[in-house]
Amino acid sequence: MKKVFFVDDEPLIAQGLSSITDWLQYGIEIAGSANDGETALQQIKEEPVDLLITDIMMPRMNGLELIRRVKQIHPRTRFIVLSGYEEFEYVKVGITLGIENYILKPINIDELESTIRHIRGDWEREELNLFRYEEDWRVLRSNILQRWVLGEIEGQEFKHRAELLGIPLNYKYVQALVFRVISEEKPISRLYRLHGLSEECGVIARETIDSEDEVICFPDADEDLVMLYVSDDPEHHQSILENAPATARRISEMTGLPVWAVSSAVSSDFYGVQDSYKQAKQVFQQCLISCQDRTVYMNGPLTKVEESHSVIWDQEQYVRLLIDGKQEPIIEFIESMLLGQFENDIIPRSECMNMAIQLMLSAKDMEDRPDYSEVFAALARMNTIQGLIRHVISVVQRSLGNRDTVQQEYSGHVAMLLEQVKEHYAEELSLKTLSQKLDMHPNYLGQLFQQEVGLSFSDYVNQYRIEKATQLLIHTDQKTAEIAVSVGYTDTSYFYRQFKKYAGVSPTELRHMYTK
């Protein structure tokens, strides 16, 4: 909040200025008042103010001299001059000193408030420009640091830039810790200002280190928070590792999100920090975590996680579930495959991702016009097994929805018949039986169905069953007789005739064509 100070040799005016308007509505608090310029100057030296409202004619030091003296020590202070009479010379001097306004007594409240609003607008613009300058400086500093840890800047250039940007180079040992704030729905930059978050995290990190050491904190291109701990004593790095989990917890509390922290070996070459940074980043590239806790801390390079993991799964069973289209057993299958196969807290990323991709592609392949981009686009943001499972389920559910979407609006009765076919196509379906549930005559219901769908009810049921049988023939190794029963045909010869009628080829011919 901004501060205002009043100066007038008439005590009633100096005190009355505090109540002449509601200063708080302008974001201004009253810092105090004085009855002469000398006293005012002493108080302002001890406690700077943003706005000074002063009379001209006062004992010991007049208002214009007070303004000159205050500007020398606090150039950003703004001024409003009060006077009992209008003197052109005073106005002229005041203008050269940069006053905001020259207000005659008795004070016109509207004019005073108008001046305050104008000053407040100037303050807001100054703060915005200052923010932009500071933000530009932060971005430039981060870009230089990113180039440094990636080995994309020459030593001499980095040394020169480091001096300009206040990056300390007078330390011997460097250790990289990388903190990943996990947000798999949105990028972190959509939730926080990365450079502001980085500065706050730097403050947290500095609380845990020796006063002789330093922390260089910045966001990298992947929106991870990189903390470079620099010291002249290699023994200090042990305490850094001990405090890393606590730092991760503080960052998690601050953001409200899980945090995954990875440390690396100490580098004894300040310009060789690239290896230290690369070690930490490789962990994110090679692992997923279970994230059962809010924070995960990993110290050192990977060992067991790098071992291959052979995934065994029943693709035929999964395809049958997809063809059947019931979501609950599909979700249970997906969860059992990913959670059941990968039970450790640290999970090999490549094997788990391959499994997830197979689950998603099996569903997408059944669409008429599949969009595969949604399968892969979000995978780079996945850091936890739980997040990956949610992504797989979401893609599969949309795929089922795309596959079963009805392209036009139907009446309630016809929509009910379509839903019955979808849910019970493998069972006996009779228009007569269904019409009784709707309390309608079967002939009228059949005419309504034909009119809206363009097929008779029996033709639609047969076509739907043949589509399901086609998917099973293509995607599984089930015997044709078993497929016939599973889609609602107890008579195999009748199934063959219907299949040839709707598909144009026999089941055997179709399977042979697809295999070939």
Side-chain angles (χ1 to χ4, degrees), residues 182-197:
I182 296 174
S183 172
E184 288 165 330
E185 300 300 321
K186 295 180 180 179
I188 296 300
S189 56
R190 297 269 297 276
L191 303 174
Y192 298 94
R193 277 194 318 108
L194 278 180
H195 295 96
L197 179 61

Side-chain angles (χ1 to χ4, degrees), residues 268-468:
S268 58
D269 180 357
F270 199 79
Y271 292 99
V273 72
Q274 291 89 356
D275 289 337
S276 182
Y277 172 73
K278 185 178 179 181
Q279 281 180 20
K281 292 289 286 186
Q282 279 179 338
V283 177
F284 298 124
Q285 297 166 4
Q286 298 176 20
C287 299
L288 291 174
I289 53 175
S290 68
C291 211
Q292 295 174 349
D293 299 321
R294 294 287 290 178
T295 58
V296 176
Y297 170 63
M298 297 174 62
N299 179 17
L302 302 176
T303 52
K304 287 186 178 180
V305 181
E306 296 175 337
E307 295 176 3
S308 61
H309 185 103
S310 180
V311 179
I312 301 172
W313 71 301
D314 189 342
Q315 187 173 12
E316 272 202 18
Q317 180 191 353
Y318 180 58
V319 168
R320 285 196 294 271
L321 292 174
L322 290 173
I323 292 171
D324 194 38
K326 293 182 173 61
Q327 291 198 18
E328 188 173 336
I330 292 172
I331 291 172
E332 288 178 359
F333 187 93
I334 293 170
E335 289 177 341
S336 70
M337 289 310 305
L338 292 173
L339 281 178
Q341 295 276 353
F342 306 99
E343 296 177 341
N344 298 326
D345 291 335
I346 310 299
I347 302 158
R349 186 181 186 92
S350 59
E351 287 82 356
C352 194
M353 284 291 181
N354 287 339
M355 181 75 258
I357 289 170
Q358 290 184 66
L359 291 167
M360 290 185 283
L361 290 182
S362 293
K364 298 298 289 183
D365 286 344
M366 294 184 181
E367 294 182 42
D368 288 336
R369 290 179 292 275
D371 175 11
Y372 293 102
S373 63
E374 68 169 341
V375 171
F376 300 100
L379 293 181
R381 293 201 305 271
M382 295 297 132
N383 293 291
T384 69
I385 187 68
Q386 291 85 354
L388 183 62
I389 289 171
R390 287 193 296 270
H391 174 62
V392 172
I393 290 173
S394 175
V395 168
V396 171
Q397 286 177 329
R398 282 195 297 274
S399 183
L400 293 173
N402 293 339
R403 198 180 68 197
D404 295 332
T405 295
V406 178
Q407 298 298 320
Q408 63 187 95
E409 294 293 327
Y410 294 108
S411 64
H413 293 131
V414 172
M416 181 269 195
L417 291 178
L418 294 172
E419 187 64 24
Q420 288 294 309
V421 174
K422 176 183 173 183
E423 295 295 326
H424 305 288
Y425 65 89
E427 305 167 15
E428 179 67 32
L429 285 172
S430 161
L431 192 60
K432 182 177 180 181
T433 304
L434 293 173
S435 66
Q436 291 174 354
K437 293 183 179 180
L438 295 172
D439 196 23
M440 295 179 67
H441 194 282
N443 290 343
Y444 175 72
L445 186 59
Q447 291 172 2
L448 190 64
F449 189 93
Q450 174 87 38
Q451 181 179 341
E452 292 190 24
V453 179
L455 294 171
S456 69
F457 181 72
S458 60
D459 278 345
Y460 181 83
V461 172
N462 278 314
Q463 183 173 292
Y464 194 91
R465 286 170 170 167
I466 298 307
E467 286 178 1
K468 295 293 182 181

Side-chain angles (χ1 to χ4, degrees), residues 67-326:
I67 291 172
R68 285 193 190 94
R69 302 282 292 276
V70 171
K71 284 183 73 71
Q72 291 173 0
I73 55 177
H74 303 305
R76 300 176 70 85
T77 300
R78 294 177 176 271
F79 307 94
I80 297 175
V81 169
L82 306 177
S83 180
Y85 49 90
E86 187 169 4
E87 287 286 350
F88 178 71
E89 289 302 317
Y90 290 140
V91 174
K92 188 164 64 174
V93 174
I95 290 172
T96 61
L97 291 173
I99 64 173
E100 302 297 324
N101 201 355
Y102 186 100
I103 300 177
L104 294 175
K105 299 177 183 178
I107 298 169
N108 183 314
I109 296 176
D110 290 338
E111 184 179 3
L112 176 65
E113 291 182 340
S114 174
T115 304
I116 294 168
R117 285 193 293 270
H118 174 77
I119 293 171
R120 189 179 66 170
D122 288 343
W123 280 333
E124 290 172 350
R125 283 187 288 275
E126 284 177 359
E127 289 173 356
L128 180 59
N129 289 335
L130 181 62
F131 168 79
R132 286 172 176 163
Y133 170 78
E134 291 175 348
E135 191 69 10
D136 289 344
W137 181 87
R138 293 189 190 103
V139 171
L140 177 60
R141 186 174 185 270
S142 291
N143 287 343
I144 295 300
L145 288 165
Q146 286 180 31
R147 290 175 62 197
W148 175 39
V149 297
L150 291 172
E152 297 174 353
I153 186 171
E154 295 295 329
Q156 194 60 36
E157 182 188 353
F158 175 66
K159 184 177 180 180
H160 176 68
R161 298 294 177 88
E163 290 173 358
L164 291 175
L165 297 169
I167 300 170
L169 297 179
N170 56 329
Y171 292 91
K172 185 175 181 182
Y173 298 100
V174 186
Q175 182 164 28
L177 271 78
V178 184
F179 295 80
R180 175 163 289 184
V181 182
I182 296 174
S183 172
E184 288 165 330
E185 300 300 321
K186 295 180 180 179
I188 296 300
S189 56
R190 297 269 297 276
L191 303 174
Y192 298 94
R193 277 194 318 108
L194 278 180
H195 295 96
L197 179 61
S198 174
E199 286 190 355
E200 293 181 57
C201 294
V203 172
I204 292 173
R206 288 183 189 94
E207 295 174 358
T208 67
I209 64 173
D210 193 280
S211 59
E212 299 173 357
D213 302 333
E214 182 57 271
V215 178
I216 304 169
C217 189
F218 62 96
D220 67 9
D222 298 324
E223 302 188 353
D224 293 332
L225 300 171
V226 182
M227 295 188 189
L228 303 178
Y229 291 82
V230 293
S231 173
D232 285 326
D233 188 343
E235 299 298 323
H236 289 183
H237 289 273
Q238 184 57 39
S239 63
I240 290 170
L241 297 181
E242 291 171 357
N243 286 309
T247 303
R249 285 194 295 272
R250 290 280 302 279
I251 297 172
S252 177
E253 290 167 2
M254 182 173 65
T255 60
L257 293 166
V259 172
W260 182 4
V262 179
S263 65
S264 64
V266 178
S267 171
S268 58
D269 180 357
F270 199 79
Y271 292 99
V273 72
Q274 291 89 356
D275 289 337
S276 182
Y277 172 73
K278 185 178 179 181
Q279 281 180 20
K281 292 289 286 186
Q282 279 179 338
V283 177
F284 298 124
Q285 297 166 4
Q286 298 176 20
C287 299
L288 291 174
I289 53 175
S290 68
C291 211
Q292 295 174 349
D293 299 321
R294 294 287 290 178
T295 58
V296 176
Y297 170 63
M298 297 174 62
N299 179 17
L302 302 176
T303 52
K304 287 186 178 180
V305 181
E306 296 175 337
E307 295 176 3
S308 61
H309 185 103
S310 180
V311 179
I312 301 172
W313 71 301
D314 189 342
Q315 187 173 12
E316 272 202 18
Q317 180 191 353
Y318 180 58
V319 168
R320 285 196 294 271
L321 292 174
L322 290 173
I323 292 171
D324 194 38
K326 293 182 173 61

Side-chain angles (χ1 to χ4, degrees), residues 12-26:
L12 289 178
I13 294 180
Q15 295 169 12
L17 282 167
S18 63
S19 58
I20 198 171
T21 188
D22 182 2
W23 295 95
L24 290 177
Q25 73 171 322
Y26 300 107

